[in-house]
Amino acid sequence: MWQNSPPGSIYDYIRVASFSIGADGLIEQWSGRAAGLFGMAADEAIGRDPVEAFMPAELRSEGYRRVGEILDGKEWTGLVPFRMPGEGGAHGLAEVYVMPSLTGRGEKAALCIVVDVRALRRIETDLAASQAIFGQSPFGFVLFGTDFTVVRANQRFATVFGGAAEDHRGRTVADYLPRPEADRLSATLERVLETGESVTDLQLVGAAPGTGERRHWSMNLYRVHSGAGRPVGVAGLATDVTRRHIAAREAASARRNLALLNEASARIGNSLDLETTARELLDVAVPGFCDLAAVDLYQGLLTGEEAAPGSWAPPHRETGGGSAELRRVAHASAVSDALPTAVAGGGTPGPDDVPPALGAVHRFPFGSPRAAALRSGRAEDVPGDEMGFVQSTLAVPMVAHDTVVGLVQFSRTKGSEPFGERDRALATELAARAAVCIDNARLYRREHERALILQRSLLPPGDPEAAGLDIACRYLPGNTATEVGGDWFDVIELPGHRTALVVGDVMGRGLRAAVAMGELRTAVRTLALLDLEPAEVLSALDEVARGLGSPSGGERSEGLGGSGGAQWPSRAAQKSREADLSEVYLATCVYAVYDPVTRRCTFANAGHLPPAVVEPGMPGRLIDVPPGMPLGVGGEPFEEVEVELAENALLTLYTDGLVESRDQTLDEGLEALRSVLTGPQMELEEACDFVLSTLNTRHGEDDIALLMARIQGLPAEAVGDWTLPREPRSVGRARELARGQLLSWDLDGLVDTTELLVSELVTNALRYGEGEIRLRLLRDRTLVCEVWDAGLVQPRRRRARDTDEGGRGLQLVGLLSAAWGSRRTPRGKTVWFELALPDGAPAAELSVEQLLSMY
């Protein structure tokens, strides 16, 4: 079939031209391709000598010789350099094939076929490049024809799918891929061939011939055209991306595991309750990690029994049932709550294989994987159950600080991916985090119980009693779960039927705050018994607090540079310790001393809230006491304020938890307290409950200590008060006054003892004191006798020598009285003793040893 040569044919690429030489050696015919190759039209070339026209001068003699041989009938093929006609003609190289011929008249001529060598070299280079790309490519290269059969494949493609490259000619995609994937690739090939739009990263899944290994390929497809632009097929470049898929899957798994661990960090351990922590673990694990899960904790841990590290009764045969007793504290299921968990130990279900109910106490058989996990402290695989529901189970011991506290079981059902090594590591990490939280909860519970015992032992038992005061008090810890805080109150009996009322607040909570509170409370009691003024008590207490908060007060450096090799702590560590201790021992306190005889109360304040008082028929008010600095700060003196309180007035001391919260400012809380106290008068116990229930205390944010006292002064008939001149007869006068007062109180049984002791104290005041003497008798729950003088020398009890005529008076006072002592006053000193009121029984007589001790 005859047709025109289409554009882009092979002849265009190789640039073939022709011309003929006549018998005279001149150009006789000149083709159009020759004109294009040499740049000379036919009318210019015909009739010219080709050697003269196209060859350089130095080659012309050889050229003439060759032309002569050709015209003699000899064929010739060779490379001929040529130049374009004209002065500036380009030089080239032509491959010429000369064939002898005859003219119509029988004359010898020649037909010349000319090929441009440059075009041949380009074609050669292109073919080599094409072969290199196709044959030497490390990727699978395949060319599909327009019928979508393989036209050509490279060796890399054949290496994957077997055989030689030539063996794949004529195959279809169905020979390489499973039916769904083959249909998808065929549809893509049709679309590319039809539209000419290339496709990149087409994901295909299949298996290499002869192997069952699942492989992933990424394929790029594009349409291939002929030189004339006609589509001749679709080329495909296939890359095995199985490793990339595996890496991506592992990366996704790692991201999931990291997300799960982050979630575990945020959700596990928010509660200090053992069972709650176990449930938090399962909330994280199900369904994000497994389908079923359960947590068992040792019964000894839950009951608060102490155990050495790693000795929570590990499984052993002697227990009869295998492991020590455990309690099922939590379970979770993402499938159905009614579905069973894996059989305990695998195998056919038996009586010991029934999953324990929530809260049940049980044991694992000694030979079971779960018991083995508890023994070894390592995760164990548990086979799936015979019912075909659970595929695999991991039994992971919960280990914290080398102590196994329990076991957590993770199970995956049929249809889920079985556990791998990465899952095992994640399960171990989840169990370890939960174990640490559970162990912390155990330690916290132990600390809390000890702190609670300590704090309750430090608070006054019940409602304390005091002369001239009706007292009620409340203590509410800031956290009802811990019941441990730094607030405290105290009621201290002082000589002369006076009473010290104390309310304080140590910064911080927990065991350290409770310990600090106990130390400060003990210091307050010690200082109060010295009968110091309130400001002096707070000044001394401030020194105590600063000593407790100083690292030098609680630590002692071992010989610097000594043989022990002790080193000074780093400055950063010392600063951290100093900040920590100083915060714990920073406290506020209000100290008040009430005298029931005068109904006067002296206050001193160390950074605490002001006391509140409400008198009958009057609105509640805050007593203006200079606040001073908190205890432990130091540097500023404390001031005193003395207030006379009306009969039946209500005095209230409290901590800031009662009046301050996040939703209420301090001024608003104080105003609310005044309003509540101004209400109707009621019994003290009811008043305490009314204040706590009415005020917006936001209980749980801070501790609350509340002390309320109703003022009940001593009646005038219960007080005997006399002033005596400084003369010897005042001793007898003092005995007469004491006898008369005791007889009027019907205390006949105390007359002799009181006369003797009053005589001793007045005699000492005359002998060692100064100024006039004041005698006072007070009757309340006990009988108190006080002797005042202006001297500053404190009496001192000493043992008299055999030859001494005196020095035994204070020994008598100490033996015959229930208590005695002395205290300084603004204008001298007071010596006092106290006698118990008779209860109808005869008074105890002094023993011989007691009498002889005075000599």
Side-chain angles (χ1 to χ4, degrees):
M1 181 178 64
W2 297 88
Q3 65 178 11
N4 294 328
S5 177
S9 67
I10 187 63
Y11 301 105
D12 285 336
Y13 285 110
I14 63 177
R15 299 186 68 181
V16 178
S18 66
F19 64 93
S20 63
I21 301 175
D24 56 0
L26 301 178
I27 297 174
E28 189 177 65
Q29 292 180 341
W30 190 258
S31 68
R33 287 185 180 271
L37 176 63
F38 294 104
M40 183 181 294
D43 56 352
E44 295 176 326
I46 294 175
R48 296 190 64 179
D49 185 347
V51 175
E52 183 71 25
F54 300 109
M55 295 188 69
E58 64 272 12
L59 297 177
R60 289 175 184 172
S61 60
E62 180 66 19
Y64 284 124
R65 187 177 67 82
R66 291 291 184 185
V67 171
E69 291 177 354
I70 292 170
L71 293 177
D72 288 340
K74 185 178 181 180
E75 290 187 0
W76 180 82
T77 301
L79 296 176
V80 177
F82 67 90
R83 64 178 178 82
M84 301 296 180
E87 293 298 329
H91 292 270
L93 186 66
E95 184 174 346
V96 181
Y97 174 48
V98 182
M99 296 175 290
S101 64
L102 296 174
T103 65
R105 295 188 298 272
E107 298 174 338
K108 292 182 180 181
L111 177 63
C112 301
I113 305 298
V114 182
V115 178
D116 188 350
V117 173
R118 293 172 299 175
L120 290 177
R121 295 293 181 266
R122 285 196 299 270
I123 293 174
E124 192 177 76
T125 302
D126 292 344
L127 288 175
S130 176
Q131 182 61 30
I133 294 174
F134 195 86
Q136 300 175 23
S137 172
F139 308 109
F141 203 98
V142 61
L143 179 62
F144 296 96
T146 56
D147 59 351
F148 307 119
T149 59
V150 177
V151 175
R152 188 179 179 185
N154 68 351
Q155 189 56 42
R156 177 60 182 169
F157 186 88
T159 301
V160 175
F161 291 100
E166 292 297 325
D167 298 337
H168 292 273
R169 291 182 182 274
R171 292 185 181 180
T172 65
V173 294
D175 297 322
Y176 305 106
L177 298 173
R179 180 63 178 273
E181 293 291 274
D183 291 344
R184 191 161 64 90
L185 179 55
S186 296
T188 306
L189 289 172
E190 292 178 4
R191 186 173 71 253
V192 172
L193 184 62
E194 179 181 353
T195 65
E197 296 179 357
S198 60
V199 173
T200 59
D201 198 22
L202 176 65
Q203 297 293 315
L204 299 172
V205 180
T211 67
E213 184 181 1
R214 184 183 178 91
R215 309 296 294 176
H216 294 262
W217 292 283
S218 171
M219 200 161 192
N220 298 330
L221 301 171
Y222 58 93
R223 190 168 68 181
V224 179
H225 303 84
S226 66
R230 178 173 52 86
V232 295
V234 177
L237 184 65
T239 306
D240 190 335
V241 293
T242 304
R243 291 185 178 179
R244 189 173 74 187
H245 272 263
I246 294 174
R249 186 168 63 248
E250 290 180 351
S253 176
R255 286 193 298 270
R256 183 200 66 182
N257 292 351
L258 285 175
L260 202 63
L261 289 176
N262 287 337
E263 185 181 5
S265 300
R267 298 180 60 181
I268 299 177
N270 293 323
S271 169
L272 290 173
D273 179 74
L274 300 178
E275 291 83 355
T276 302
T277 302
R279 288 194 296 270
E280 290 170 347
L281 168 62
L282 300 192
D283 290 341
V284 172
V286 180
F289 177 68
C290 63
D291 302 315
L292 303 169
V295 176
D296 300 286
L297 298 180
Y298 277 118
Q299 180 71 357
L301 180 144
L302 294 169
T303 56
E305 298 176 8
E306 292 294 335
S311 62
W312 280 109
H316 52 86
R317 289 186 175 88
E318 288 72 12
T319 59
S323 70
E325 288 186 341
L326 298 105
R327 186 193 304 173
R328 177 63 52 89
V329 296
H331 65 70
S333 171
V335 183
S336 172
D337 293 337
L339 293 175
T341 58
V343 175
T348 305
D352 295 330
D353 294 328
V354 178
L358 185 64
V361 178
H362 63 96
R363 300 175 186 268
F364 289 123
F366 182 84
S368 66
R370 293 168 174 82
L374 291 171
R375 283 195 302 273
S376 65
R378 296 188 298 269
E380 296 286 342
D381 292 313
V382 181
D385 63 322
E386 297 293 329
M387 302 172 63
F389 174 68
V390 173
Q391 178 173 237
S392 63
T393 297
L394 283 177
V396 186
M398 307 176 73
V399 184
H401 308 116
D402 297 329
T403 301
V404 178
V405 299
L407 186 76
V408 57
Q409 302 171 62
F410 304 102
S411 301
R412 288 180 178 174
T413 58
K414 298 294 184 180
S416 298
E417 186 177 353
F419 291 113
E421 286 302 318
R422 191 184 298 273
D423 295 323
R424 178 188 290 265
L426 178 61
T428 302
E429 179 66 21
L430 289 174
R433 294 193 180 200
V436 170
C437 295
I438 288 175
D439 195 53
N440 289 341
R442 176 183 67 86
L443 296 175
Y444 171 79
R445 181 178 62 185
R446 183 179 65 183
E447 177 184 340
H448 160 249
E449 290 175 350
R450 292 175 178 177
L452 188 59
I453 293 173
L454 171 64
Q455 187 173 48
R456 288 178 175 173
S457 67
L458 294 175
L459 293 175
D463 289 332
E465 297 180 355
L469 292 175
D470 186 11
I471 298 176
C473 47
R474 296 287 187 274
Y475 173 75
L476 298 178
N479 189 335
T480 55
T482 62
E483 300 183 14
V484 177
D487 291 11
W488 91 92
F489 63 89
D490 206 349
V491 178
I492 307 170
E493 293 187 42
L494 300 178
H497 289 312
R498 294 171 305 128
T499 304
L501 304 176
V502 188
V503 170
D505 183 359
V506 177
M507 294 186 181
R509 293 183 184 175
L511 182 59
R512 298 189 70 181
V515 170
M517 178 268 286
E519 292 175 325
L520 292 178
R521 178 179 179 271
T522 302
V524 170
R525 280 191 159 265
T526 302
L527 294 170
L529 294 179
L530 296 177
D531 211 356
L532 303 176
E533 296 297 321
E536 295 178 346
V537 170
L538 292 186
S539 296
L541 189 62
D542 178 65
E543 293 291 336
V544 172
R546 280 191 287 165
L548 296 174
S550 172
S552 60
E555 299 180 4
R556 180 170 54 88
S557 298
E558 302 292 343
L560 181 61
S563 59
Q567 297 181 356
W568 291 100
S570 67
R571 185 173 182 84
Q574 186 173 356
K575 286 184 176 180
S576 175
R577 205 159 40 243
E578 289 176 359
D580 189 28
L581 291 171
S582 62
E583 179 182 3
V584 170
Y585 291 105
L586 196 65
T588 63
C589 179
V590 60
Y591 184 89
V593 175
Y594 172 69
D595 188 344
V597 178
T598 61
R599 293 200 313 276
R600 287 184 171 273
C601 191
T602 305
F603 298 92
N605 192 351
H608 203 79
L609 297 176
V613 65
V614 55
E615 298 179 340
M618 301 291 290
R621 61 185 177 90
L622 299 178
I623 299 176
D624 186 13
V625 181
M629 300 298 292
L631 300 175
V633 175
E636 294 293 333
F638 298 98
E639 300 182 36
E640 294 180 358
V641 172
E642 187 177 65
V643 178
E644 183 175 351
L645 302 175
E647 188 77 11
N648 290 324
L650 182 62
L651 178 64
T652 303
L653 305 179
Y654 53 93
T655 56
D656 56 357
L658 183 68
V659 294
E660 188 176 20
S661 68
R662 287 194 299 265
D663 301 329
Q664 179 176 261
T665 64
L666 180 59
D667 291 338
E668 293 173 346
L670 293 175
E671 182 61 33
L673 175 63
R674 286 195 296 266
S675 301
V676 171
L677 294 176
T678 307
Q681 186 171 341
M682 58 185 72
E683 294 295 328
L684 270 184
E685 294 296 332
E686 297 178 3
C688 282
D689 295 334
F690 179 74
V691 169
L692 292 175
S693 61
T694 304
L695 291 180
N696 185 23
T697 59
R698 298 291 185 195
H699 179 49
E701 294 182 3
D702 198 1
D703 310 326
I704 297 176
L706 175 64
L707 189 152
M708 304 183 76
R710 182 84 68 188
I711 303 301
Q712 303 288 344
L714 288 181
E717 57 271 17
V719 179
D721 195 350
W722 306 275
T723 301
L724 303 173
R726 189 172 187 78
E727 55 187 31
R729 63 176 182 172
S730 294
V731 176
R733 177 61 178 163
R735 288 197 297 269
E736 294 176 1
L737 294 173
R739 170 182 289 273
Q741 187 66 66
L742 264 60
L743 292 177
S744 66
W745 289 340
D746 296 328
L747 298 178
D748 300 14
L750 299 180
V751 170
D752 294 339
T753 302
T754 302
E755 281 188 334
L756 175 61
L757 299 185
V758 165
S759 176
E760 289 295 334
L761 295 186
V762 174
T763 300
N764 286 342
L766 288 173
R767 182 176 298 176
Y768 306 108
E770 299 176 6
E772 61 181 5
I773 301 170
R774 183 180 177 187
L775 172 65
R776 188 169 74 169
L777 294 178
L778 306 175
R779 180 193 180 194
D780 191 68
R781 291 173 297 145
T782 61
L783 176 68
V784 174
C785 174
E786 298 176 331
V787 175
W788 297 352
D789 69 80
L792 298 178
V793 179
Q794 296 289 322
R796 182 173 60 88
R797 184 176 176 180
R798 63 182 179 85
R799 182 177 295 277
R801 294 189 295 271
D802 294 344
T803 58
D804 291 343
E805 296 182 358
R808 300 177 179 84
L810 292 181
Q811 294 190 47
L812 279 174
V813 174
L815 289 173
L816 298 178
S817 64
W820 78 279
S822 66
R823 67 177 185 275
R824 285 191 174 91
T825 65
R827 293 182 296 275
K829 67 176 181 297
T830 299
V831 184
W832 58 271
F833 66 84
E834 183 176 345
L835 297 175
L837 297 182
D839 54 3
E845 296 183 357
L846 294 177
S847 64
V848 176
E849 289 79 7
Q850 290 175 322
L851 291 174
L852 290 177
S853 66
M854 294 185 294
Y855 296 94

